[in-house]
Amino acid sequence: MSWVCRSFAEGVIILCGELKYDFQIDLSDTHSAHGKVLRLVGWGKKVLEVGCATGYLTRALKERFWCTVDAVEIDPEAAARARPFCAQLLVGDVEELPLEVYFAPESYDVILLADVLEHLREPWMVLRRLRPLLREKGYVVASIPNIAHAAVILELFEGRFRYRPRGLLDETHLRFFTREGVEELFAGNGYLITYWDRVALPPALTEFGTDLSRFPEEVIRFLYKKNRDADTYQFIVKAVRAE
């Protein structure tokens, strides 16, 4: 997932349309998705990063968090930029690659899936195949967009579901998740979520620029009463292997 302005982003770089996912990370911003994810990964870990893109997180993990990072990336051009920050970089589709051939069992402290699961055809299958690569006390860190954000619901309320170049309705998203969906995804594939966090963003500051005053007050009150994640833009989770 990607964004286009500071109000709902973390410093996007648009490189003349060449690469969609390239960021500058402000580690002082502890409320950003990137900051939350990096701190959940922790210091000095051996990490497998799935979908490293141009290596914007990879570099921070290596240079600021003293981690050793192996990575998988489907885009060869993006992978070329990430390669200097990786101990090992595998270029290809994580859904097709024989991961057990390239990565040893129980060899990673952390598997990082930052805005990746929503782009996969079968994210449940990928989680199952990644599970054996975790060490006994290892864990998965994932960030996942919330399709139940109030801005999306109000778009639907007015009969719209328009894919966009980036954001919650990114045109490359194949799967959509609510909190319940995230819980089911991990629990159903051998994981226990031990930590939840979120990136909160009111509808007006999303890519939709939703003006709540255009809707009846009763509708907005009902929406926020029934949906505790109405302002949740992304879920951030940490999950361990379930016994």
Side-chain angles (χ1 to χ4, degrees), residues 206-235:
T206 67
E207 64 270 26
F208 303 96
T210 309
D211 180 3
L212 296 183
S213 68
R214 295 193 301 104
F215 299 89
E217 291 184 8
E218 294 83 358
V219 170
I220 302 303
R221 283 199 299 269
F222 181 83
L223 174 57
Y224 276 82
K225 180 180 179 180
K226 293 295 185 179
N227 180 8
R228 61 172 168 163
D229 289 310
D231 278 348
T232 299
Y233 197 79
Q234 284 173 286
F235 298 108

Side-chain angles (χ1 to χ4, degrees), residues 104-206:
E106 298 189 1
S107 54
Y108 294 100
D109 300 307
V110 183
I111 295 176
L112 177 58
L113 295 155
D115 298 331
V116 167
L117 293 168
E118 64 273 15
H119 295 275
L120 303 179
R121 299 183 300 278
E122 298 183 84
W124 45 87
M125 177 269 290
V126 171
L127 282 175
R128 287 198 299 268
R129 293 179 59 216
L130 290 171
R131 190 176 180 275
L133 305 182
L134 283 173
R135 291 172 175 166
E136 182 179 356
K137 295 184 179 181
Y139 50 91
V140 169
V141 172
S143 57
I144 306 168
N146 173 36
I147 194 61
H149 191 283
V152 177
I153 292 173
L154 292 171
E155 286 283 298
L156 288 168
F157 186 77
E158 296 188 313
R160 292 189 297 270
F161 192 87
R162 296 174 182 161
Y163 284 94
R164 295 166 179 261
R166 50 193 62 82
L168 291 174
L169 297 182
D170 186 312
E171 59 198 1
T172 62
H173 288 182
L174 301 179
R175 300 290 174 180
F176 299 95
F177 297 96
T178 62
R179 180 182 292 266
E180 181 182 60
V182 173
E183 289 175 341
E184 292 176 350
L185 176 64
F186 281 89
N189 293 286
Y191 296 86
L192 174 66
I193 295 177
T194 59
Y195 177 85
W196 282 91
D197 199 351
R198 68 180 189 135
V199 175
L201 204 64
L205 297 183
T206 67

Side-chain angles (χ1 to χ4, degrees), residues 76-103:
E77 185 181 354
R81 297 194 183 193
R83 192 175 298 279
F85 314 116
C86 300
Q88 178 183 358
L89 176 59
L90 187 59
V91 180
D93 185 346
V94 70
E95 298 194 74
E96 302 292 340
L97 292 167
L99 300 177
E100 66 280 358
V101 173
Y102 296 99
F103 305 115

